[in-house]
Amino acid sequence: VGCDRSKNLVDICGEKNFQAFVCDALSVPIRSGSCDACISIAVIHHFSTAERRLATIRELVRLLRPGGTALIYVWAMEQEYKNQKSKYLKEKNGSKDTVEKISTGMAQGPLSDQMPDSSSQDSACSDRLLHDSKDEGCDAKPVADSRLPVHTNRTSFHSQDLLVPWHLKGGTKKKGENVGTVLFPAGSKESQELSPVFHRYYHVFCEGELEAACRSLDCVRVQKSYYDQGNWCVVLEKL
């Protein structure tokens, strides 16, 4: 059974005869200890505080039976790891523009395939903000004021907390298409005549950050922690 914050996406699942319902990741209406396994893909990096991100992991663990396992994927700060660039950086030219449906980070294939494609005008960040957060890697400093930098597509991250621009799809409804349920990456061919632009919040995780959050829960054992194409991943077991 699946769940998502977007009713439109859940409706699409229903049309395909999949079991899915609308809910918030911080409060899932499923009985505690009733799941053999849970998967959280490209969700937790959208929560804006460490407390909320931890609460989401705790809620995921609550659903598991003792001995049950969970797989978590989040976007990584390190898009170049062990001298290897992620697919996200390699596709800088945007040769494969992808479509992302609202509130999803992954449909088929690697997470990096689903990441945004931002145009230069949408991604303009003030020199001062860039200066405030110019340190790369996990030494990146938080932005001093209330504004967040807007990420430039297919580039390294300069801040852990940032906004990624997306265009809402509009226009005439085509067969089999739900108008208003799809976001096109800003700067893509499809987005040129579309508006408005929405800026989605992301917190990109540093190495060890996701694993440390999981280990802070005393009812959890981390089975595996690894890097996969620009994402930090954890497999955990409920004790």
Side-chain angles (χ1 to χ4, degrees):
V1 62
C3 57
D4 199 281
R5 189 64 181 83
S6 167
K7 180 182 182 300
N8 288 328
L9 286 183
V10 170
D11 288 344
I12 292 172
C13 290
E15 292 168 4
K16 297 178 181 295
N17 296 317
F18 294 123
Q19 297 184 67
F21 57 90
V22 176
C23 79
D24 191 302
L26 289 168
S27 182
V28 181
I30 293 180
R31 188 178 69 250
S32 298
S34 60
C35 298
D36 295 314
C38 293
I39 301 174
S40 175
I41 303 292
V43 173
I44 296 176
H45 58 214
H46 287 299
F47 286 94
S48 59
T49 67
E51 291 79 13
R52 286 167 65 83
R53 293 188 287 272
L54 181 61
T56 310
I57 299 172
R58 185 180 291 110
E59 179 70 354
L60 195 69
V61 172
R62 179 189 67 79
L63 305 177
L64 292 171
R65 64 167 175 78
T69 57
L71 170 66
I72 302 172
Y73 264 62
V74 294
W75 210 358
M77 179 84 172
E78 301 85 355
Q79 290 297 306
E80 186 168 346
Y81 186 68
K82 294 184 177 179
N83 298 319
Q84 293 290 323
K85 289 185 178 180
S86 69
K87 192 174 181 180
Y88 175 70
L89 291 184
K90 287 180 180 178
E91 292 183 356
K92 187 171 184 179
N93 293 330
S95 58
K96 295 181 180 179
D97 286 336
T98 56
V99 177
E100 180 180 1
K101 294 182 175 65
I102 292 175
S103 299
T104 66
M106 178 172 167
Q108 299 281 336
L111 268 177
S112 55
D113 287 349
Q114 308 300 320
M115 289 309 167
D117 196 1
S118 311
S119 63
S120 58
Q121 65 266 30
D122 289 329
S123 303
C125 182
S126 70
D127 291 338
R128 183 173 62 79
L129 280 180
L130 285 173
H131 181 268
D132 288 343
S133 56
K134 66 183 179 180
D135 294 350
E136 298 219 10
C138 290
D139 293 326
K141 299 176 182 178
V143 177
D145 60 21
S146 61
R147 291 179 294 174
L148 289 172
V150 180
H151 179 59
T152 299
N153 178 59
R154 308 297 176 184
T155 64
S156 298
F157 295 115
H158 300 284
S159 172
Q160 280 192 269
D161 298 281
L162 49 100
L163 299 175
V164 177
W166 285 87
H167 278 295
L168 179 65
K169 181 179 179 180
T172 305
K173 183 175 180 180
K174 299 178 181 179
K175 183 179 180 180
E177 175 182 270
N178 290 337
V179 172
T181 66
V182 177
L183 285 175
F184 280 103
S188 66
K189 178 180 178 182
E190 296 88 343
S191 73
Q192 297 303 314
E193 300 176 358
L194 303 177
S195 62
V197 175
F198 292 93
H199 290 82
R200 300 181 69 191
Y201 171 84
Y202 284 79
H203 171 85
V204 290
F205 281 67
C206 288
E207 182 174 7
E209 184 179 353
L210 176 61
E211 181 178 354
C214 293
R215 291 187 185 280
S216 71
L217 303 177
D218 54 13
C219 58
V220 162
R221 180 174 70 88
V222 174
Q223 291 184 340
K224 187 178 182 181
S225 179
Y226 60 97
Y227 179 88
D228 180 22
Q229 280 296 333
N231 303 282
W232 287 115
C233 322
V234 163
V235 178
L236 57 83
E237 177 186 2
K238 182 173 182 178
L239 302 176

